[in-house]
Amino acid sequence: MNSSALIHAVIDGVLTGSVYALMATGLTLIFGVMDIINVAQGIFVILGAYLSYALSVHWGIDPFVGLVITIPTLFLVGIVVERAFIGRLKGPEKTAMSILVTYAISLVIEGSLNMIFSVNDVQISASYVTKTFRIFGVYFAYIYVYGFILAAVLLTALYLMLYRTRFGASIRASLADQTAAALVGIDVKRVSTICFGIGIAVTAAGGMVFGATNAFNASTSYDLISRLLVIIVLGGMGSLGGALLAGILMVTLEDIVGVVWSPVWSIIAFYIVLVIVLSLRPQGLFGKQSARIA
Amino acid sequence: MKRRGKLFRAFGVTSVAAATVLVMATTSGASSSSSIAKGAPVTIGISLSLSGDFSADGLAYQQGYKLWAADVNASGGLLGHKVVLDIVSDASSPTQVVTNYQKLVSVDHANLTFGPFSTLLTLPAAQTVNRYGYAMLEGAGGGPSVFQAGLKNVFDVTLPVAYDLQPFAKWLTSLPASTRPKTISYVTSNDPFTQPVVQEAQKLIGKKLKTVYNNVFPAEATDYTSIADAVAAAKAQVVVLGSVDVPTVSAFMQAFEQAHYTPEAFVATAGPDQGAAFINAVGAGNADGMMVPNSWYGGSKNPASVKMVAEYVKKYGGTAAGVNADIAEAYSVGQVMAQAVTATKGFDNAKIIKYLHSGVTMSSVQGSVKFNSLGENTAQTAYTFQWQGSKFVEVNPVGDPGSSKILFPKPAWGN
């Protein structure tokens, strides 16, 4: 094993992990505010990828430029889904029921995508997808760097929205305690709806980068959701910073183990770390043990 | 060809379906139905991956089975009985496939059963129908694990996967020392289909080429960047990739291009055989020189194959080169079953199993079919195919009448 391979693995991990973090941020935001485990997040990522693919193939719109269309579109899709299905979930079984409801939603979307795009794998292409630049003998693919920058910009925007705006304060209040937030006049229902929309909207960006770096079809969502769920469990359910750190940690650790030891151990190594972390901190790296007591 | 599996998808449906079937199975006895009333259809039970990881192949298999059923019905059916396909989806889950075949046999009372897609699903499927005395005729369960299970009811009409890379290995090692590549990398998914293929290739190539990278990656991987980068860093002249689908091959190809690394020969166990689906994912320029083992391709001169391809193109569109090999595999299953039914003059699964084990040589769109005691088809030839421009051509065995000259070394990416 040479040192440049190790450095490359770390850089790959950070660049790719940030995109996974972006996808997982939506998931953790939705859980944090609404107590909803959205297992449809994977298919929303793929929906975002397909939207970018369709804009690119049929209208020649660059995938990054296309985000101007796909992000608001998925935000609206999120709003509709929340109003039609998620917002109707009530009572103590709400979280458990949300798994079934979102699973059903993912099946419907998967079936629809299969009908529209067929099950054949596709990939988003653009001139910079295979282009690279070289620093100290190591090639860097533009698409991963652009993906990292996109993730950084969107996560920063999300952070600023949460910590520098009045609406962000409403979200954080709802994250901490929905009942208390409602008592001080916050419209928790409205906050939940918008949060769900935001949580789905970020998948447009994550999906676009994923679709440009991987061939995909609708069933790819099953690989994605299992990883996204693991990221938010490790980072702490409801923690945005935790999702960011866990996403980067997961991919970087897997890449390093793959290079230093063997790829077959890479996922196992990550799960060993997950078990150790959860043994010591059952709430995850940044989860608050009492935050969800409502 | 044969793909990986996932458990997650089965989570929501398996338990409910299993409980339902269990209750129904206890109230309705299951047996191999050998006699069918005059005028009644013959029902063939099939579980296919119509969603989930194997969905692309599952749907191609469905097309192949349906194409065969339409043809056989157009010519009067099986022994005068109209063929009805009872197809249920297993969502690519090894658990669900068991539930499905239990239902097909004990609840739906299918007369015959055809196999699902992939080695991963075929083994549990064959074990399940074996309990009821049914033959499991299949085309995508070619991994050694299927044949080493001690089952007497399983028959794979396709060449066993372990032999897939034999012609490639033979061609590579027979090159003159002056032109033969010196280094090779082996990288494979830990899948029951891919690993035996790559291991067999390694055995055949031996030390004639120096192995500079040899590793296995988890089938659950979603990001192949670091693995592909490691392979690229080894800079082998030849890469043997144990891939299960188009996305895996596509990811390696993209990473190689990004690393400015073009192997002189690049063979993948599955993916490039997916016809138009492969080209759409990787781009025609990148496909040039990519190789894949298989036992059939759309340009096959076999008259039955030519007829089937023409029917397929008429019904679904596209070109002969774009026809997925899964179609031919599924169609062959139907053809072999039809010959067994005709020979045994009925639908008695015990007689069909005995007939298929008799050493008789049958025919299919993929070529000859003759089963050994394990249910492997020993009569077929392994071929290697290569994308040359927009054409998918046979390149070895070298000297085979249908073989074109191999494109070696592989052109640079994107040409």
Side-chain angles (χ1 to χ4, degrees):
Chain A
M1 192 267 303
N2 60 47
S3 56
S4 75
L6 185 61
I7 292 167
H8 209 167
V10 173
I11 294 168
D12 277 348
V14 173
L15 295 180
T16 316
S18 65
V19 178
Y20 277 98
L22 182 61
M23 300 178 208
T25 299
L27 192 59
T28 206
L29 186 68
I30 289 168
F31 175 80
V33 175
M34 304 170 67
D35 284 339
I36 295 293
I37 298 175
N38 177 26
V39 296
Q41 191 79 355
I43 198 69
F44 282 120
V45 170
I46 297 300
L47 179 61
Y50 269 121
L51 286 175
S52 292
Y53 172 78
L55 290 174
S56 168
V57 169
H58 298 296
W59 289 282
I61 298 174
D62 179 87
F64 280 89
V65 175
L67 291 176
V68 176
I69 299 169
T70 60
I71 289 178
T73 303
L74 278 180
F75 177 77
L76 290 175
V77 169
I79 297 288
V80 171
V81 168
E82 200 281 335
R83 282 290 165 96
F85 307 106
I86 308 298
R88 296 171 190 274
L89 298 175
K90 302 270 190 289
E93 301 299 322
K94 177 182 168 183
T95 304
M97 285 302 294
S98 71
I99 296 173
L100 289 175
V101 170
T102 54
Y103 181 62
I105 291 168
S106 75
L107 286 177
V108 171
I109 297 174
E110 182 190 359
S112 305
L113 290 174
N114 281 338
M115 283 180 66
I116 298 166
F117 294 99
S118 90
V119 293
N120 291 331
D121 297 290
V122 296
Q123 186 162 358
I124 299 167
S125 62
S127 59
Y128 44 79
V129 165
T130 53
K131 294 280 189 300
T132 55
F133 61 94
R134 197 173 183 181
I135 299 178
F136 300 120
V138 177
Y139 287 106
F140 294 92
Y142 282 105
I143 183 64
Y144 287 108
V145 176
Y146 291 167
F148 175 78
I149 293 169
L150 176 69
V153 167
L154 289 176
L155 288 171
T156 303
L158 207 53
Y159 176 86
L160 292 174
M161 186 269 286
L162 280 172
Y163 290 92
R164 297 284 186 275
T165 67
R166 191 176 175 81
F167 179 68
S170 303
I171 293 176
R172 284 185 288 122
S174 302
L175 270 166
D177 190 323
Q178 290 179 14
T179 308
L183 285 172
V184 296
I186 292 171
D187 186 348
V188 175
K189 171 77 181 143
R190 181 172 160 271
V191 167
S192 297
T193 303
I194 294 173
C195 271
F196 197 86
I198 293 170
I200 302 304
V202 294
T203 63
M208 184 277 290
V209 179
F210 182 83
T213 52
N214 297 273
F216 62 93
N217 66 10
S219 68
T220 309
S221 62
Y222 295 99
D223 295 321
L224 278 172
I225 186 58
S226 54
R227 304 204 103 204
L228 299 183
L229 285 171
V230 166
I231 288 172
I232 68 164
V233 168
L234 176 64
M237 303 277 278
S239 166
L240 297 180
L244 176 62
L245 184 70
I248 291 173
L249 178 68
M250 180 183 77
V251 182
T252 307
L253 182 68
E254 286 180 7
D255 286 356
I256 290 172
V257 171
V259 169
V260 174
W261 196 2
S262 165
V264 83
W265 291 104
S266 55
I267 292 178
I268 296 169
F270 170 74
Y271 279 96
I272 289 171
V273 171
L274 177 69
V275 169
I276 292 169
V277 169
L278 293 183
S279 301
L280 300 171
R281 282 184 64 83
Q283 70 273 35
L285 290 172
F286 292 95
K288 291 174 185 166
Q289 209 154 19
S290 58
R292 302 312 315 155
I293 298 171
Chain B
M1 295 186 87
K2 299 84 186 168
R3 314 278 182 271
R4 59 200 156 137
K6 292 286 174 287
L7 297 177
F8 181 80
R9 158 167 279 275
F11 170 73
V13 292
T14 306
S15 54
V16 176
T20 307
V21 168
L22 198 64
V23 171
M24 296 177 85
T26 55
T27 57
S28 60
S31 63
S32 170
S33 308
S34 59
S35 59
I36 301 172
K38 194 178 177 185
V42 55
T43 305
I44 300 174
I46 310 165
S47 175
L48 285 174
S49 304
L50 302 182
S51 61
D53 277 1
F54 303 153
S55 56
D57 300 281
L59 284 160
Y61 253 71
Q62 186 181 37
Q63 288 180 334
Y65 282 143
K66 284 186 170 177
L67 205 58
W68 167 76
D71 280 353
V72 81
N73 284 335
S75 59
L78 282 180
L79 301 179
H81 297 276
K82 185 188 173 194
V83 171
V84 173
L85 301 181
D86 184 357
I87 297 175
V88 288
S89 176
D90 51 50
S92 310
S93 157
T95 316
Q96 186 63 35
V97 82
V98 170
T99 307
N100 284 355
Y101 278 102
Q102 284 173 339
K103 173 188 173 289
L104 289 166
V105 172
S106 60
V107 179
D108 296 356
H109 299 292
N111 304 100
L112 304 167
T113 53
F114 285 175
F117 182 83
S118 84
T119 294
L120 190 69
L121 302 191
T122 298
L123 179 57
Q127 288 169 328
T128 302
V129 300
N130 186 49
R131 294 186 203 115
Y132 301 102
Y134 275 61
M136 171 56 76
L137 210 52
E138 48 92 0
S145 56
V146 171
F147 307 116
Q148 290 164 0
L151 296 166
K152 293 292 177 194
N153 69 322
V154 65
F155 302 92
D156 182 13
V157 301
T158 308
L159 185 79
V161 297
Y163 304 118
D164 276 359
L165 281 174
Q166 276 186 353
F168 174 79
K170 195 173 172 185
W171 163 75
L172 196 60
T173 53
S174 66
L175 286 171
S178 57
T179 55
R180 189 192 312 150
K182 305 288 184 289
T183 54
I184 187 166
S185 287
Y186 301 97
V187 58
T188 177
S189 163
N190 59 350
D191 180 272
F193 152 61
T194 61
Q195 279 193 289
V197 185
V198 174
Q199 283 165 359
E200 180 68 12
Q202 278 182 277
K203 204 163 68 180
L204 293 168
I205 293 166
K207 292 181 179 172
K208 289 196 174 176
L209 277 77
K210 185 185 176 190
T211 302
V212 293
Y213 185 88
N214 183 15
N215 235 320
V216 178
F217 59 88
E220 299 78 18
T222 51
D223 177 43
Y224 303 95
T225 315
S226 65
I227 307 164
D229 283 346
V231 178
K235 295 193 186 306
Q237 290 165 286
V238 179
V239 173
V240 176
L241 171 62
S243 53
V244 291
D245 51 20
V246 171
T248 312
V249 190
S250 169
F252 275 83
M253 290 169 67
Q254 183 169 306
F256 287 177
E257 187 177 1
Q258 288 168 344
H260 297 257
Y261 162 62
T262 308
E264 292 175 21
F266 187 175
V267 64
T269 56
D273 59 330
Q274 299 282 303
F278 176 68
I279 295 296
N280 288 342
V282 305
N286 282 330
D288 209 15
M290 288 299 298
M291 289 188 272
V292 65
N294 217 325
S295 49
W296 180 89
Y297 75 120
S300 167
K301 300 290 185 284
N302 176 335
S305 174
V306 171
K307 179 174 173 285
M308 183 203 75
V309 167
E311 287 173 359
Y312 178 87
V313 171
K314 187 180 174 189
K315 189 167 184 178
Y316 297 105
T319 62
V323 179
N324 192 323
D326 294 335
I327 306 289
E329 291 175 5
Y331 196 92
S332 298
V333 170
Q335 287 183 301
V336 172
M337 181 59 91
Q339 289 164 75
V341 165
T342 305
T344 58
K345 298 182 177 65
F347 303 96
D348 186 326
N349 276 272
K351 286 181 182 172
I352 289 170
I353 290 170
K354 192 176 173 189
Y355 176 77
L356 294 173
H357 273 308
S358 69
V360 66
T361 301
M362 293 161 284
S363 62
S364 76
V365 292
Q366 297 189 106
S368 298
V369 179
K370 183 180 178 181
F371 297 112
N372 64 13
S373 60
L374 300 174
E376 296 171 314
N377 180 5
T378 58
Q380 238 177 36
T381 310
Y383 299 100
T384 310
F385 298 96
Q386 187 178 44
W387 282 99
Q388 296 185 356
S390 60
K391 291 181 179 173
F392 188 62
V393 299
E394 176 194 326
V395 290
N396 58 44
V398 175
D400 185 77
S403 281
S404 302
K405 189 172 186 289
I406 197 162
L407 188 59
F408 175 78
K410 182 195 175 309
W413 301 109
N415 279 348

